[in-house]
Amino acid sequence: MKRAIYPGSFDPMTYGHLDIIKRAARNFDEVIVSVLDNKAKNPLFSVEERVKILEEATKDIPNVKIDSFSGLLIDYAKRIDVPVSVRGLRAITDFEYELQIAQTNSKLSHGKLDTVFFTASLEYSYLSSSGVKEIACFGGDLSECVPEFVAELLYAKYNQKR
Ligand code: ADP
């Protein structure tokens, strides 16, 4: 069985992430989308909230599972016995960063964790979680960025903060 992890912050999940999830699910028997619990990033949504959003958005894709982890990806991948990490590439800036992470993970895992890249679909390549948060903060239109229930959660977060 071909299994892959799609790790990330997903703060929050956007249509760009969802597109990568769907495409990965067509290419692997099982895709484990896993939220990285990285307190240093000061996320807007808690890990539990991010997991719930991903669960709701992927509920109709049977071979996608949602999880979370902290610590090094290579340790998590070893623990759940998955040899492939999936990541998305939007632009050259992503490439530089992602290449370094992929090579570090390969080195640290002694070649046991490979990274597979999916290039962003044209209609989503401008999308980022930080951009989405900025739009939400000013009450802008998120209909092309995230599912409606995620937009509602974002507006609610920023209303709380006001
Ligand atoms: P990170 O894990 O680096 O904190 P994210 O959670 O936003 O960042 O993204 C997880 C992965 O999804 C990264 O590989 C990122 O490049 C990719 N990604 C983010 N947004 C998009 C998008 N719009 N299209 C394709 N891939 C994306």
Side-chain angles (χ1 to χ4, degrees):
M1 178 147 127
K2 284 194 297 171
R3 299 167 76 215
I5 304 171
Y6 179 23
S9 304
F10 306 108
D11 185 40
M13 181 213 75
T14 69
Y15 279 139
H17 295 128
L18 193 55
D19 179 57
I20 301 287
I21 294 170
K22 287 179 180 163
R23 288 161 60 202
R26 287 203 296 269
N27 284 280
F28 291 92
D29 298 313
E30 183 176 78
V31 176
I32 300 142
V33 184
S34 203
V35 175
L36 172 60
D37 185 3
N38 181 356
K39 304 251 172 9
K41 277 204 166 178
N42 194 17
L44 180 66
F45 290 97
S46 69
V47 171
E48 294 73 27
E49 288 172 319
R50 285 179 272 158
V51 163
K52 270 204 185 129
I53 289 171
L54 284 159
E55 279 173 350
E56 175 63 27
T58 62
K59 65 180 185 223
D60 296 329
I61 319 173
N63 61 333
V64 170
K65 296 208 161 53
I66 313 300
D67 194 12
S68 64
F69 73 105
S70 54
L72 288 178
L73 176 64
I74 55 151
D75 294 332
Y76 171 66
K78 191 175 172 191
R79 202 162 62 240
I80 64 169
D81 195 25
V82 175
V84 175
S85 165
V86 162
R87 298 283 288 177
L89 289 176
R90 285 162 293 189
I92 198 79
T93 41
D94 274 352
F95 179 76
E96 284 184 23
Y97 171 72
E98 295 288 347
L99 180 67
Q100 197 179 25
I101 297 179
Q103 289 172 338
T104 304
N105 285 335
S106 175
K107 190 89 186 159
L108 285 178
S109 69
H110 304 286
K112 293 208 171 83
L113 183 65
D114 271 323
T115 303
V116 169
F117 293 108
F118 285 83
T119 51
S121 295
L122 275 181
E123 66 264 51
Y124 303 125
S125 61
Y126 72 97
L127 265 179
S128 69
S129 296
S130 50
V132 160
K133 283 183 273 194
E134 196 157 343
I135 297 171
C137 178
F138 296 106
D141 178 10
L142 289 170
S143 56
E144 299 202 6
C145 305
V146 294
E148 201 177 327
F149 80 96
V150 181
E152 296 305 329
L153 291 170
L154 276 159
Y155 295 135
K157 281 270 177 204
Y158 286 108
N159 279 335
Q160 259 173 33
K161 290 195 174 207
R162 278 197 191 112

